[in-house]
Amino acid sequence: MRALLSVSDKRGIVELARELVALGWEIVSTGGTADTLRKAGLPVIPIDAVTGFPEMMEGRVKTLHPKVHGGLLARRGHPGDRAALEQHGITPIDLVAVNLYPFRETVARPDVRFEQAIEQIDIGGPSMLRSAAKNHQDVIVVVDPDDYPVVLAGLKAKDVSAELRRTLAAKVFAHTAAYDATIYSYLVKDRPGWPERIALALERRQELRYGENPHQAAALYAADEPGIRDLAQLHGKELSFNNLLDVDAALAAVAPWSGSDRVVCAIVKHTTPCGIALGRSPAAAYERALATDRTSAFGSVIAFNAGVDRAAAAALRELFVEVVVAPAFADDALSVLREKKNLRLIRLAADPDPPGWDFKRIRGGFLVQERSRPGAVGAESGWKVATRRAPTESEWRDLRFAWAAVGAVKSNAILLAKEEAAIGIGAGQMSRVDASFLAVHKARQQGHDPAGAVLASDAFFPFPDGVEEAAQAGIRAIIQPGGSVKDADVIAAADRHDLAMVLTGLRQFRH
């Protein structure tokens, strides 16, 4: 029996080879893998002894040869294949353990040059894997070092089942498909316009208890980009489908302040903030965000853009919370929060400039768009004061905060703010005037006085009624995109009530 071992990830390869040799197998190997096995004192047949050709072109060509692929593709029960093996002096290969050059890791480095990336495109490895996987009824193919033990167990028991062979082969094609998708994405990433095809390679990270509802099965898959794959759970129960949606929404809500010296806390329910505020410390930001709507904060997901300290942990202890997510947790904060057995603690930082596109699933396809980035949303170069009265200095401060915060709220969205804290949020309404009414209602319900606050609207006011609603509540300044055919009427309504109005020229719909 002959095995061919050629791996980039050398975890467990010496142990695999040692066990195979003990079972009477001969080992064929290439390059660095062969050197590793020889240093471990194991007998190795070099690949050039099989092919009759030396490795050439700095390793670009070494296994692309009929003596290799004939040995992999020959069907043992096929008379013609057996005759071809004998005619050409080809020895069958019965097991292949191959994994590929680290292309993804190479291109993830910020300083990598194109020439370096190209050299990490594996050619021989995928070819051998695909040949062996096609012929998996006769050849055992292993692409994942974690599968070495189960293969060895089967060999020792003389029972490598057809089901295991097929599972390993399927894993190969999933691996090479993902590998090719990563290469394709790298090669087209800087081209203008939209690519003709988009290749998504998703890796299962976790099977979930259920989806949005208990009758729906679900799992978490991660793309080949920073984000959810960097999540570290420090404490608590397994994250649910809805927890993960809310974690993502909460991080998006605090992202506009990531990397700044301002501390922000967002409290999210059903992917929409019910509280968001800036503060001098994480504890202060949390208390101010909680004050937005204490009722809705029950059972929420809470995100910070700064590390959670003991003071913040002590404050959080008083509320039932599903998840707390932050870029870091102090040790004494963890000690406090871990007293709550089921509270999930997640270390993951918000990204103000996330890579990749935004995908939304529709029946039979995807909608793909550029991400809305806080830097572009907050750029004031296109803003203009549309009313006779300009905002005061304190109103400008609150308008900037409210405009950054309202982008995380489901449309139609209205957010009232005072002293850089939300005091009322009207989310997900079918009409903008109802969103205005709801924001004022929620503010008063929680004991806030809207008089003197500012208002942010994620999209234009189609009619003056939303402005009238705000003015009656005592709102003093409004920030909104503008662009309605009724802009003149809306601005005139603001002028009648001596409101300041800023037009940003940029909409922030969130469906």
Side-chain angles (χ1 to χ4, degrees):
M1 305 293 281
R2 173 174 280 188
L4 195 162
L5 312 183
S6 179
V7 295
S8 175
D9 179 354
K10 294 181 172 54
R11 289 180 297 129
I13 195 63
V14 170
E15 293 76 11
L16 173 66
R18 185 173 287 122
E19 294 283 358
L20 290 173
V21 169
L23 290 171
W25 287 60
E26 62 180 12
I27 306 296
V28 175
S29 192
T30 65
T33 307
D35 291 341
T36 297
L37 299 179
R38 288 192 196 97
K39 288 175 183 176
L42 295 168
V44 176
I45 300 171
I47 193 69
D48 55 9
V50 173
T51 63
F53 280 86
E55 295 184 19
M56 63 181 70
M57 301 177 188
E58 298 179 335
R60 280 189 164 205
V61 179
K62 49 191 171 186
T63 60
L64 297 171
H65 194 280
K67 289 287 183 76
V68 173
H69 288 274
L72 293 172
L73 286 164
R75 293 159 289 185
R76 308 309 193 255
H78 190 283
D81 288 4
R82 291 201 308 271
L85 291 175
E86 184 174 354
Q87 178 184 354
H88 298 287
I90 299 173
T91 301
I93 298 170
D94 306 288
L95 182 148
V96 170
V98 170
N99 50 64
L100 308 179
Y101 295 167
F103 183 84
R104 184 181 71 189
E105 294 78 5
T106 298
V107 299
R109 299 201 313 262
D111 59 342
V112 69
R113 301 192 313 275
F114 180 78
E115 295 76 13
Q116 292 172 313
I118 290 297
E119 289 308 315
Q120 290 300 315
I121 298 177
D122 202 323
I123 302 300
S127 300
M128 290 188 291
L129 285 171
R130 291 175 64 86
S131 290
K134 178 175 180 175
N135 199 28
H136 65 268
Q137 291 177 310
D138 293 312
V139 182
I140 302 166
V141 58
V142 193
V143 71
D144 184 352
D146 290 340
D147 289 326
Y148 295 164
V150 69
V151 169
L152 286 170
L155 290 173
K156 289 176 181 178
K158 298 183 179 179
D159 182 25
V160 180
S161 68
E163 181 181 359
L164 175 59
R165 288 171 179 268
R166 185 167 181 168
T167 297
L168 294 171
K171 204 166 187 177
V172 163
F173 287 114
H175 186 79
T176 56
Y179 192 78
D180 287 343
T182 302
I183 296 168
Y184 170 75
S185 297
Y186 175 76
L187 292 175
V188 302
K189 68 176 183 175
D190 294 324
R191 290 184 183 176
W194 291 97
E196 183 179 345
R197 296 179 182 275
I198 295 174
L200 278 179
L202 304 177
E203 178 185 11
R204 192 183 70 206
R205 306 289 287 188
Q206 182 182 346
E207 290 190 23
L208 304 172
R209 284 190 301 154
Y210 51 79
E212 283 188 282
N213 302 290
H215 67 279
Q216 296 171 274
L220 168 65
Y221 287 81
D224 187 17
E225 62 189 35
I228 200 68
R229 66 170 56 249
D230 303 313
L231 180 152
Q233 184 164 352
L234 307 180
H235 178 67
K237 295 192 299 186
E238 178 183 288
L239 288 161
S240 72
F241 186 98
N242 292 331
N243 289 156
L244 288 161
L245 286 174
D246 284 341
V247 164
D248 190 60
L251 288 171
V254 301
W257 295 276
S258 290
S260 76
D261 58 358
R262 309 301 306 277
V263 179
V264 65
C265 174
I267 303 175
V268 166
K269 287 283 290 290
H270 301 291
T271 71
T272 289
C274 59
I276 183 168
L278 297 176
R280 294 177 181 272
S281 66
Y286 164 70
E287 292 288 4
R288 302 184 80 224
L290 178 62
T292 308
D293 186 348
R294 293 179 180 274
T295 305
S296 298
F298 182 85
S300 58
V301 169
I302 298 179
F304 295 87
N305 71 329
V308 174
D309 57 16
R310 184 179 177 85
L316 285 161
R317 189 167 50 186
E318 303 306 316
L319 179 69
F320 171 67
V321 177
E322 290 274 350
V323 185
V324 178
V325 56
F329 291 82
D331 290 342
D332 53 358
L334 286 174
S335 297
V336 171
L337 293 170
R338 281 172 173 160
E339 293 174 6
K340 303 182 78 168
K341 179 181 176 182
N342 293 327
L343 173 62
R344 304 159 178 91
L345 302 178
I346 302 300
R347 187 177 63 233
L348 186 62
D351 188 348
D353 190 25
W357 294 314
D358 185 29
F359 293 84
K360 295 194 183 296
R361 187 79 163 99
I362 59 174
R363 193 179 300 268
F366 289 88
L367 294 170
V368 187
Q369 64 178 349
E370 294 179 340
R371 294 184 184 274
S372 180
R373 304 188 185 279
V377 170
E380 298 182 22
S381 58
W383 295 11
K384 66 178 182 179
V385 177
T387 47
R388 290 193 295 265
R389 184 175 77 81
T392 65
E393 184 177 344
S394 62
E395 287 169 353
W396 268 118
R397 179 195 62 196
D398 283 343
L399 288 169
R400 291 184 180 101
F401 165 79
W403 182 243
V406 77
V409 181
K410 287 290 186 73
S411 302
N412 286 314
I414 296 291
L415 183 142
L416 309 184
K418 187 182 286 188
E419 297 179 357
E420 297 182 298
I423 63 167
I425 299 173
Q429 299 304 298
M430 283 65 73
S431 72
R432 196 152 299 277
V433 66
D434 284 347
S436 299
F437 170 83
L438 181 60
V440 171
H441 167 73
K442 295 289 285 184
R444 289 172 172 159
Q445 181 190 63
Q446 295 297 314
H448 301 293
D449 183 0
V454 307
L455 179 152
S457 175
D458 67 331
F460 63 64
F461 287 94
F463 304 103
D465 51 4
V467 175
E468 299 284 355
E469 184 77 35
Q472 290 173 19
I475 299 299
R476 296 300 298 145
I478 293 174
I479 187 167
Q480 56 120 338
S484 167
V485 295
K486 298 279 189 179
D487 269 357
D489 295 342
V490 170
I491 294 165
D495 279 333
R496 281 197 304 274
H497 294 283
D498 195 32
L499 272 64
M501 180 175 286
V502 176
L503 305 183
T504 66
L506 189 149
R507 191 176 71 187
Q508 295 198 76
F509 267 167
R510 181 166 175 253
H511 287 97

